[in-house]
């Protein structure tokens, strides 16, 4: 009769910043909630684990109704389920999914976050959206809906069974707002999809404008929106908050393009250069805005002590440089985002770079300075056709066969340079 | 003074300042006044999003109390 009710892990109603998970854990463990939040942030720094753990806990842990008992029907919010599934799909490493599902974003590299930063941003934006919608839902009701329904259920029922399993009544056919909630959820999903498509279009326009030299205009608009928000804050009304979303939609792609120094002013398409003499190699090198650039140097007559300098500049796409096996390659190849593969040396992710400065011998030497804003740079002694075919994508298996012979190619390159 | 702080919308203020700073960074970058690496800029953008989220959460908590 007087048994103390077992303490349950619940999401805190009163001490919450996002979904009340940290507050609930702190209450359960009787520790300072700030410590739990710091632990989540720290865990997030290790590959996003904190985000996944938080969302999973937000799903499996029911809300506190304010009395230490679970509120509502104890079922997780559909929004949270969707967000958690997306977060798990997004944050787990690529090998869990094979080359297809997240192939365009598999830019792992040495810095784990380098490959997942965009995805974490997406997940963060989704969480923010969820919180915004939930806040709107709560405003008109003026209280905890779960508590109200529970009270009504208790008033209707006089048997003890109701107290033991009050939540079952909420799922019955007499629950009046179930259909309405489903319709509203469908409407919200449709609206969110439409907003997402619109946001993608605006983001693409912002990125394109920045890449074509109009970044100052985009930056000006972003600053103006920020100023309106900051000034509007002093009116005490939240009417300007909707500007946050378009500002971020503009700022994120423009910032990424500006930082990557992406420029689409070098033309678009396929470029194939196969010089047969050193004089045919332009002093300012080869450049392309978007597309596929091939430079095949195997047809050049190479001789001992020869030195050739080559520059390539790519905006978005793949640069393939084929060199003869007897050529020593001294390379500085960088990709703001993507992959760089230079004769067995590989770097992937954000700010990928291969800086190869082999010892000087008498072998002919290529001094290569190659840049790409987003995409791939491949330097190898294989024919361009082998390097280009099926390598336009960004899947995790794109360098598999090159990786297989990487050690031999690296060793051969070192031997060539020391001759 | 306290009336002003009560009328202040924390979320809008913090978001506005963060967005203005990001806008200024983008402007300086495209004008070649500064040269931020891609990783730094993306980190700054992520930090701005995080600040907005935090302000939103804290603002909702303060408003609900």
């Amino acid at each position: 009769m007087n048994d103390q009710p077992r303490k349950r892990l619940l999401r805190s109603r009163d001490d919450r910043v996002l979904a009340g998970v940290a507050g609930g854990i702190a209450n359960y463990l009787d520790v300072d909630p700030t410590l739990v939040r710091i632990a989540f942030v720290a865990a997030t720094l290790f590959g996003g684990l904190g985000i996944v753990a938080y969302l999973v806990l937000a799903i499996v842990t029911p809300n506190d109704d304010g009395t230490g008992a679970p509120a509502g029907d104890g079922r997780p919010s559909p929004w949270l389920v969707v967000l958690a599934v997306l977060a798990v799909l997004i944050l787990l490493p690529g090998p869990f999914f094979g080359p297809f599902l997240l192939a365009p974003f598999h830019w792992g590299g040495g810095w784990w976050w380098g490959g997942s930063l965009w995805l974490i941003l997406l997940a963060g934006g989704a969480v923010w959206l969820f919180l915004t919608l939930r806040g709107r839902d709560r405003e008109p009701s003026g209280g905890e809906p779960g508590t109200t329904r529970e009270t009504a259920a208790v008033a209707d029922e006089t048997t003890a069974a109701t107290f033991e399993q009050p939540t079952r009544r909420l799922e019955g056919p007499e629950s009046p707002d179930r259909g309405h909630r489903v319709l509203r959820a469908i409407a919200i999903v449709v609206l969110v999809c439409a907003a997402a498509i619109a946001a993608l279009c605006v983001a693409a326009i912002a990125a394109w404008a920045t890449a074509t030299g109009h970044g100052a205009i985009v930056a000006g608009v972003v600053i103006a929106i920020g100023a309106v928000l900051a000034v509007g804050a002093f009116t005490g009304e939240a009417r300007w908050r909707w500007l946050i979303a378009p500002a971020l939609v503009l700022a994120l792609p423009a910032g990424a393009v500006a930082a990557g120094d992406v420029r689409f002013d070098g033309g678009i398409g396929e470029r194939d250069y196969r010089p047969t003499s050193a004089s045919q190699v332009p002093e300012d090198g080869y450049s392309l805005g978007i597309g596929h650039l091939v430079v095949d140097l195997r047809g050049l007559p190479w001789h001992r002590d020869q030195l050739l300098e080559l520059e390539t500049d790519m905006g978005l796409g793949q640069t393939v440089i084929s060199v003869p096996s007897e050529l020593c390659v001294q390379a500085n190849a960088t990709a703001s985002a993507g992959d760089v593969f230079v004769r067995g040396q590989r770097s992937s992710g954000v700010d990928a770079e291969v800086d190869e400065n082999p010892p000087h011998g008498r072998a002919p030497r290529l001094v290569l300075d190659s840049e790409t804003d987003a995409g791939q740079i491949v330097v190898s002694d294989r024919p361009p056709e082998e390097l280009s075919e099926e390598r336009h994508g960004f899947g995790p298996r794109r360098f598999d066969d090159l990786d297989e012979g990487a050690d031999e190619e690296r060793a051969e390159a070192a031997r060539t340079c020391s001759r | 003074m306290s009336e002003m702080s009560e009328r202040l919308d924390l979320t809008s203020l913090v978001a506005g300042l963060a967005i203005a700073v990001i806008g200024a960074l983008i402007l300086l970058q495209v004008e070649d006044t500064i040269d931020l690496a891609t990783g730094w800029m993306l980190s700054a953008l992520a930090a701005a999003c995080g600040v907005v989220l935090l302000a939103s959460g804290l603002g909702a908590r303060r408003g609900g109390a």
Side-chain angles (χ1 to χ4, degrees):
Chain A
M1 289 283 285
N2 294 326
D3 285 348
Q4 187 76 12
R6 188 166 59 88
K7 198 172 183 180
R8 289 192 59 174
L9 178 60
L10 302 168
R11 284 189 283 130
S12 173
R13 191 184 71 166
D14 302 314
D15 188 6
R16 61 169 52 190
V17 174
L18 294 174
V21 171
I25 292 174
N27 183 45
Y28 186 75
L29 300 175
D30 201 19
V31 295
D32 189 338
T34 305
L35 293 176
V36 181
R37 290 186 182 112
I38 289 172
F40 271 113
V41 172
T44 299
L45 294 176
F46 291 94
L49 179 64
I51 296 175
V52 175
Y54 191 96
L55 284 170
V56 169
L57 282 168
I59 287 177
V60 301
T61 312
N63 249 326
D64 188 351
D65 67 353
T67 66
D73 58 5
R75 288 188 169 188
S77 157
W79 282 105
L80 274 177
V81 175
V82 171
L83 283 175
V85 171
L86 281 176
V88 170
L89 286 175
I90 284 169
L91 293 172
L92 284 181
F96 283 92
F97 304 104
F100 302 108
L101 188 57
L102 294 176
F105 301 100
H106 193 87
W107 290 350
W111 188 41
W112 205 95
W113 272 54
S116 307
L117 200 55
W118 282 107
L119 304 169
I120 290 170
L121 281 174
L122 285 173
V127 171
W128 175 75
L129 179 66
F130 162 71
L131 289 172
T132 306
L133 288 172
R134 195 182 59 173
R136 285 180 190 163
D137 285 346
R138 281 185 170 180
E139 277 170 11
S141 66
E144 285 291 312
T147 308
T148 309
R149 284 189 222 112
E150 202 165 39
T151 307
V154 172
D156 287 342
E157 199 65 64
T158 54
T159 62
T162 307
F163 291 92
E164 290 168 7
Q165 295 184 327
T167 59
R168 287 184 183 279
R169 286 184 54 80
L170 297 174
E171 298 167 23
E174 65 270 25
S175 183
D177 59 348
R178 190 178 179 87
H180 175 72
R181 279 188 301 168
V182 171
L183 283 176
R184 192 177 59 174
I186 293 171
I188 289 174
V189 168
V190 172
L191 282 174
V192 168
C193 289
I197 292 169
L200 280 175
C201 292
V202 173
I205 292 169
W208 186 266
T210 308
T212 52
H214 302 92
I217 297 173
V218 180
V221 173
V222 172
I223 294 172
I225 293 176
V228 169
L229 270 166
V231 172
F234 289 96
T235 65
E237 297 175 9
R239 69 165 67 168
W240 301 108
R241 283 191 193 177
W242 66 271
L243 285 171
I244 298 173
L248 291 177
V249 166
L250 285 171
L252 292 176
V257 169
D261 200 21
V262 178
R263 297 184 194 281
F264 290 165
D265 47 8
I268 298 174
E270 302 270 332
R271 301 285 189 276
D272 195 327
Y273 300 102
R274 298 173 190 259
T276 52
S277 69
S279 61
Q280 290 180 354
V281 178
E283 285 186 10
D284 55 351
Y286 302 103
S287 64
L288 184 61
I290 306 174
H292 186 218
L293 173 65
V294 171
V295 181
D296 187 353
L297 300 176
R298 295 172 307 150
L300 279 176
W302 295 96
H303 55 79
R304 292 170 78 83
D305 296 324
Q306 181 182 355
L307 184 72
L308 178 69
E309 294 184 356
L310 174 66
E311 286 184 24
T312 68
D313 188 3
M314 166 69 80
L316 174 67
Q318 187 187 41
T319 302
V320 171
I321 301 170
S322 276
V323 296
S325 57
E326 69 271 18
L327 182 68
C328 177
V329 178
Q330 174 182 331
N332 178 251
T334 58
S336 299
D339 303 287
V340 179
F341 192 100
V342 180
R343 299 192 92 176
Q345 305 278 349
R346 177 181 168 183
S347 176
S348 300
V350 176
D351 293 327
E353 179 177 16
V354 170
D355 194 0
E356 185 74 1
N357 191 7
H360 284 258
R362 296 201 62 194
R365 174 174 291 247
L366 172 70
V367 179
L368 175 66
D369 183 2
S370 183
E371 290 182 19
T372 186
D373 297 325
Q376 299 171 353
I377 298 172
V378 183
V379 181
S380 175
D381 54 13
R382 301 189 192 189
E385 292 73 22
E386 269 187 37
L387 300 167
S388 303
E389 288 299 315
E390 300 174 1
R391 292 187 190 286
H392 293 275
F394 292 89
R397 300 165 67 88
R398 60 198 179 281
F399 280 131
D400 277 2
D401 57 339
L402 282 177
D403 280 337
E404 285 173 10
D407 290 339
E408 293 170 18
E409 191 167 5
R410 210 162 36 235
E412 176 60 28
R415 278 195 296 273
T416 301
C417 289
S418 59
R419 279 176 197 150
Chain B
M1 199 69 174
S2 64
E3 186 184 343
M4 179 181 258
S5 72
E6 279 180 16
R7 285 171 56 86
L8 184 68
D9 182 28
L10 181 67
T11 306
S12 297
L13 179 64
V14 174
L17 292 175
I19 287 167
V21 168
I22 288 297
L25 278 178
I26 295 171
L27 184 61
L28 293 172
Q29 180 80 16
V30 297
E31 295 296 323
D32 288 334
T33 307
I34 59 173
D35 186 17
L36 280 181
T38 310
W40 281 104
M41 178 62 94
L42 294 182
S43 299
L45 292 168
C49 291
V51 165
V52 172
L53 280 171
L54 269 178
S56 176
L58 290 171
R61 186 183 172 195
R62 195 176 70 163

